[in-house]
Amino acid sequence: MKFSKLFLIALSVSLFVSCSNDEEDNTPKGVYDNGFFILNEGTTQGTVSFSSNDLTSFTKDVYSTVNGSDILGRYAQNIFFNGDNAYIISGGANNITVVNRYTFKLITKIETGLLNPRYGVVKDGKAYVTNANTYSYENAATGDTDDYVAVINLTTNIVESKIDLNATANRVVLKDGKLYITDAYNDKLLVVDIATKKLDAPVQIGFNGDCIEEENGVLYILKGGFGNSSELVKVKISDKTTTKITFPESLSGAGFMDIEDNKIYYTVGSSVYTMNTNATAASTTAILTSPATYVYGFAVNDGRIYVSQGNFTTDGKAYIYDLTGALQKELTTGVGTNGFYFND
């Protein structure tokens, strides 16, 4: 079959247009695209702040700005994402507020099946949220054993089932169909198979496990809050073998951890330290010391370090640094600033 020159020209133009249209569309999806949220736990109600990535635009209370008099509820704990939605967990209100992550407009609230919800992850249209259940300050020294994972259908926004843990539960990561849950009051890492909704054999890691991250098939768990001796436990997911780095006494009471570009960043007091993921000893040289007298939130993302001051009587502060420790921005946030969530 023969083609005319005009047809070939038209075909080449159409292919060029088609390929051009397939390129990534960088048009912002809403006012709160291309930035990060800062979660403020609050005492009577939580709030969410927002900053643009270039640090030139800031909104102290995004939720009220968009949704008027509606409130999140007490003790805003965690934010997780699924598609165009953000899910804001309020532990004191026993609910999850669902908003569009780019406009922050309220979609719905999940208000049944939750008791002291803590942290959430998502897989295949379902959220898995740890619940502290009857946890209270009275039993905080020993924890309790009635915690569970709420399984939420994100199409209906209904808690469809729960997985009893027979332990206390806090932070959670998801890898290869398994939930890995830290339990600061027990000496084990909990493992849940989401297909069977049953507990697998736990992994022995010792007491005070808190922050947990997964990188290249390895779980990193930081231990050492509240003045305890500090330790980093590495768990190889494939065979559940563990290795440990015991921190020197000068680094007792390690608080938070994040991993970025094969480097582990961790806090002790108001200072931030870093070491390679393959390190065998902890660094004792701080890369920065923030003005925060009580570090309550921490993250490392895209070449920046984020630290928050956890005031509970006045507005908190967020401090943003580059990786050399140079301060880039200080923001006045809300009460009890406890986390950073990146909306890119």
Side-chain angles (χ1 to χ4, degrees), residues 183-188 204-209 223-224 229 231:
D183 172 2
Y185 303 102
N186 205 324
D187 60 352
K188 299 175 179 65
Q204 188 83 30
I205 60 169
F207 289 92
N208 299 316
K223 300 161 54 183
S229 59
E231 196 171 55

Side-chain angles (χ1 to χ4, degrees), residues 53-258:
N53 282 334
D54 62 9
L55 306 179
T56 62
S57 175
F58 178 72
T59 304
K60 183 179 176 184
D61 186 348
V62 176
Y63 190 79
S64 294
T65 298
V66 175
N67 297 296
S69 60
D70 191 77
I71 62 174
L72 290 177
R74 298 180 69 193
Y75 307 144
Q77 179 65 37
N78 178 236
I79 298 176
F80 62 90
F81 299 109
N82 182 54
D84 288 346
N85 293 347
Y87 299 78
I88 309 161
I89 297 175
S90 296
N94 292 324
N95 71 21
I96 299 175
T97 302
V98 187
V99 300
N100 180 286
R101 65 191 288 179
Y102 304 112
T103 66
F104 234 68
K105 185 174 179 59
L106 175 64
I107 296 173
T108 190
K109 294 190 180 186
I110 303 169
E111 299 181 297
T112 59
L114 303 169
L115 286 169
N116 283 324
R118 300 289 292 165
Y119 295 92
V121 293
V122 173
K123 182 174 176 59
D124 297 335
K126 293 186 180 181
Y128 299 85
V129 177
T130 56
N131 284 252
N133 204 351
T134 57
Y135 173 90
S136 66
Y137 289 108
E138 287 73 22
N139 64 15
T142 58
D144 53 39
T145 59
D146 61 2
D147 295 15
Y148 64 93
V149 173
V151 183
I152 305 171
N153 185 317
L154 296 182
T155 299
T156 62
N157 290 311
I158 293 174
V159 175
E160 62 180 22
S161 63
K162 70 175 186 175
I163 304 169
D164 292 320
L165 298 174
N166 193 33
T168 57
N170 195 32
R171 300 179 189 269
V172 56
V173 298
L174 171 66
K175 179 66 175 177
D176 297 333
K178 302 288 181 75
L179 304 176
Y180 297 90
I181 302 170
T182 55
D183 172 2
Y185 303 102
N186 205 324
D187 60 352
K188 299 175 179 65
L189 177 70
L190 304 177
V191 184
V192 177
D193 188 322
I194 63 174
T196 64
K197 297 182 182 178
K198 294 185 181 298
L199 287 162
D200 284 355
V203 181
Q204 188 83 30
I205 60 169
F207 289 92
N208 299 316
D210 186 20
C211 289
I212 181 170
E213 298 285 335
E214 184 276 331
E215 188 86 358
N216 298 322
V218 177
L219 298 169
Y220 297 80
I221 302 117
L222 184 67
K223 300 161 54 183
F226 306 106
N228 294 299
S229 59
S230 304
E231 196 171 55
L232 179 74
V233 181
K234 301 179 185 181
V235 180
K236 188 176 180 181
I237 291 177
S238 61
D239 59 10
K240 304 300 188 295
T241 55
T242 63
T243 56
K244 298 180 180 181
I245 297 175
T246 300
F247 290 17
E249 192 65 27
S250 62
L251 297 180
S252 291
F256 295 90
M257 176 191 67
D258 206 350

